[in-house]
């Protein structure tokens, strides 16, 4: 279909995003990006308040953890001895980008009556990105639809050719249908069908034997009103990266509580550059720069990033001739001990 005649859809039909035509935002001004590079204010980092766990603290944490596990025996938790500990910090960098995407499509509705003239003296079709729209809530996915003013076009209904009626699809326009009762009772000794009186044809109930029905597109008016609909979608894109990993699975570390070292928000955030761990600065630089190019057809409304520190303690233990290790991580003191010595269910139980 040509650009002069784009596909159109009824106004009461729910459309997929792919049925709209994307409208790219105006070219972004790079002056602000240059200012971000040349003028870098001091980055504020909160001090880490990490508490080293004593052997008694580790024992209490493990005992409390075992009580929450139905199939674990409390014997090893009461009797094990901590032989050594190793403390570390895992940094979790989190970046959120809130974008706006606009697209349009052609819609139509029955022309019930002539619409009043627009009060806009210019009577010009507004550009999609010039329409004033704002999100209900920041960093919350949402979709809005708006009817663009000064886009109405009144045309004859192409589905019924302005005749207001279309051929009945049930009977093919003849107004009669084969009798269903005759087919059921058909046989060599069958009596005359009382439903059709032996005519083997009955009136079509869909069109009341007229052979035609009212056009559903124009509801019998013969004319349609076409207009453009603007679809505005706000979406939050979330990215995160764990730095300096350990033996604890990443999905568990992401759920652990930690200390917020740095948090900031803005139209576009500046990558971290002054943190004491160079790897954190490099990751922040890569993720922020990539976010500026990742959604070329969207407008970045706002960004925010966060750096969280998760304390991790690796404890080695001795119990009845056995040695091993487990992790205590997060400020909420979560335990990861995949090979706990005794399990009431089986020796191969999985410990979450």
């Amino acid at each position: 279909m040509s650009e002069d005649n784009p596909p159109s859809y009824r106004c009461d039909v729910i459309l997929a995003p792919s049925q709209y035509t994307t409208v790219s935002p105006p070219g972004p001004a790079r002056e602000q990006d240059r200012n971000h590079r040349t003028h870098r204010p001091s980055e504020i980092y909160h001090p880490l308040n990490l508490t080293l766990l004593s052997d008694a603290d580790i024992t209490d944490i493990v005992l409390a953890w075992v009580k929450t596990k139905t199939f674990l025996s409390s014997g090893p938790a009461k009797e094990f001895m901590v032989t050594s500990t190793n403390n570390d910090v895992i940094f979790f960098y989190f970046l959120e980008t809130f974008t706006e995407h606009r697209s349009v499509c052609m819609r139509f509705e029955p022309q019930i009556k002539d619409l009043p003239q627009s009060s806009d003296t210019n009577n010009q079709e507004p550009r999609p990105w010039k329409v004033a729209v704002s999100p209900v809530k920041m960093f919350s996915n949402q979709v809005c639809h708006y009817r663009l003013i000064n886009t109405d076009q009144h045309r004859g209904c192409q589905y019924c050719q302005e005749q207001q009626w279309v051929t009945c699809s049930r009977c093919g326009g003849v107004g009669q249908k084969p009798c269903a009762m005759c087919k059921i009772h058909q046989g060599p000794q069958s009596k005359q069908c009382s439903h059709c009186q032996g005519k083997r044809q009955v009136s079509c109930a869909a069109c009341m034997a007229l052979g035609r029905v009212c056009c559903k597109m124009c509801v019998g008016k013969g004319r349609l009103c076409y207009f453009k609909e603007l679809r505005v979608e706000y979406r939050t894109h979330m990215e995160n990266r764990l730095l300096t990993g350990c033996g604890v699975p990443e999905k568990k570390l992401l759920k652990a509580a930690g200390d917020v070292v740095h948090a900031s928000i803005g139209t576009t955030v500046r990558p971290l550059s002054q943190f004491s761990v160079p790897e954190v600065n490099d990751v922040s630089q890569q993720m922020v720069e990539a976010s500026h190019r990742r959604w070329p057809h969207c407008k970045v409304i706002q960004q925010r990033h966060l750096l969280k520190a998760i304390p991790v303690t690796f404890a080695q233990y001795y119990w009845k001739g056995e040695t091993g290790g487990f992790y205590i991580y997060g400020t909420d003191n979560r335990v990861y001990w995949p090979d706990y010595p005794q399990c009431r269910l089986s020796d191969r139980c999985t410990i979450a």
Side-chain angles (χ1 to χ4, degrees), residues 284-299:
S284 176
Q285 181 77 25
Q286 294 171 7
M287 293 177 62
V288 172
E289 291 293 338
S291 69
H292 295 164
R293 304 184 300 269
R294 188 158 296 166
W295 304 281
H297 300 297
C298 299
K299 178 182 178 182

Side-chain angles (χ1 to χ4, degrees), residues 253 256-258 309-313 328-334:
L253 287 172
I310 303 173
V312 178
T313 299
I328 297 177
Y329 61 99
T331 55
D332 49 353
N333 294 326
R334 302 188 178 209

Side-chain angles (χ1 to χ4, degrees), residues 1-19:
M1 187 169 292
S2 64
E3 295 183 359
D4 296 335
N5 296 296
S8 55
Y9 308 93
R10 270 176 42 169
C11 60
D12 58 344
V13 176
I14 299 176
L15 302 181
S18 59
Q19 293 175 288

Side-chain angles (χ1 to χ4, degrees), residues 6 104-107 125-126 146-149 151-153 226-230:
V104 296
C105 77
M106 185 65 73
R107 293 276 207 168
E125 176 183 335
Y146 300 91
R147 180 169 180 162
L148 294 179
I149 62 173
T151 61
D152 293 1
Q153 299 179 13
Y226 290 82
F227 61 92
K228 287 185 178 181
E229 182 180 80
L230 173 66

